[in-house]
Amino acid sequence: MEYTWLEIVWLFLIYSLTGWILEVCIAAVRKKKFINRGFVNGPLCPIYGFSSVLFTLFLPELTNHLFWLFLGGMVLATVLEYSTGVIMHKIF
């Protein structure tokens, strides 16, 4: 399935916002106060948006093979989290 740039941008925004909301809710329950868990100034967590876009672009042919889909998703998420951590460590 092919996606337009607009659909990819919407995927990024929806998953970034949803990830931010979930992280803020979990932090609020644990700490009993509002804590902005986002990296950017605004209600977005870009790592969730980038991961959804990567999964959409690189894993659609594996939807019928659940083991390989799980393995591919695990590898993509691990590489994204690790590379983001390395980059943020160097920046900050």
Side-chain angles (χ1 to χ4, degrees):
M1 181 171 192
E2 299 215 4
Y3 294 94
T4 65
W5 284 104
L6 185 60
E7 291 170 330
I8 291 173
V9 169
W10 274 110
L11 268 175
F12 175 83
L13 291 173
I14 289 169
Y15 278 91
S16 293
L17 179 64
T18 305
W20 180 83
I21 290 170
L22 288 174
E23 283 203 16
V24 166
C25 288
I26 291 169
V29 167
R30 287 185 180 165
K31 302 289 184 177
K32 296 182 178 39
K33 65 178 183 175
F34 175 80
I35 298 173
N36 185 5
R37 300 282 299 169
F39 167 68
V40 296
N41 291 333
L44 293 176
C45 253
I47 194 158
Y48 295 118
F50 283 122
S51 62
S52 70
V53 169
L54 286 178
F55 291 168
T56 301
L57 294 178
F58 293 117
L59 299 178
E61 64 275 355
L62 298 177
T63 55
N64 295 328
H65 309 286
L66 292 180
F67 174 75
W68 296 111
L69 180 63
F70 173 76
L71 192 63
M74 185 177 66
V75 168
L76 272 178
T78 302
V79 168
L80 181 64
E81 285 280 345
Y82 181 76
S83 59
T84 301
V86 168
I87 290 169
M88 288 182 72
H89 182 72
K90 289 184 186 235
I91 291 174
F92 299 109

